[in-house]
Structure formats: structure tokens, C-alpha cells
Amino acid sequence: MRIGSGILLLQPLTEYCDLARKVGISTVTIENMMQAWTAVLPVFAPDEDDFQTAVRSLGSFENFRDALLCASAKRAGVKHFLSERLLNGFDFRGVAVVNPFYRPNDGLMNRILRPTRRRRKS
């Protein structure tokens, strides 16, 4: 993945922490995982505008959580929102939902996640 090419949305991180505790992962392990992820990608939290956008967009989603995720992703400038829950190919105001586990998306995933090549110093 290219540095600066992705973000982590706060909402799924909190859900991961809750689920990890429920399945018995230690708090130390959870903390270490969060530190590792946030050292690589910035965390983007929803704000009041995202909340309002999500409320106005509820008709396009099964639940408020998904609407809030997409509203936050839109404000963050996300072009490809990786999700296995949302409908692959769904477009929310220019944010394309991509299921990373759907085999026909492999080429797109390779382009999205391709690392930046570092130039050698001469």
C-alpha cells in the first residue's frame, strides 16, 4: 500500500476491539494491534456533518452504521471503500464500494494496494 493512500475509519476499529474482546483476545494484544495499524494508516473519525449526511442517506442503506461509514469515507476523500458487508460496486456520492474478497476485484485490489516503488539514491 502506498503511504498516504489509505485511512482507517474509527467506527470499524471500535467494532474490532469489541469483537476481539468477546472472542477472548487479550487487551494487550488488541492494544498492540491498534498501535500497529494506526502507525501505518491515519484514523478518521466521523463528525456532525457525517452524522447529518448519514441521516439524509438512510434510504440507500440497510442500517445507519453503513450510512455513517460511507458519509465519513466521502468526507475523507476516499475513492474506494473496502467492505465485504456493503454491496460490491455500490457508489455513494463518488465513493465506490469494493469487496476485497470478491475474486473479480483482484485486479482493482492490486492497483489500489500497490506499494510505491522507492527510487534508489545514486
Side-chain angles (χ1 to χ4, degrees), residues 14-28 30-31:
T14 63
E15 292 171 11
Y16 170 83
C17 290
D18 284 343
L19 179 61
R21 290 208 51 202
K22 285 179 185 175
V23 299
I25 297 174
S26 75
T27 55
V28 171
I30 295 168
E31 183 179 347

Side-chain angles (χ1 to χ4, degrees), residues 11 46-61 63-72 92-93:
Q11 188 175 343
D47 70 5
E48 187 175 340
D49 288 338
D50 299 336
F51 177 82
Q52 295 300 329
T53 298
V55 169
R56 289 190 304 273
S57 305
L58 272 175
S60 299
F61 295 92
N63 59 57
F64 182 78
R65 186 193 114 195
D66 293 343
L68 184 60
L69 283 170
C70 285
S72 296
F92 178 75
R93 302 180 182 191

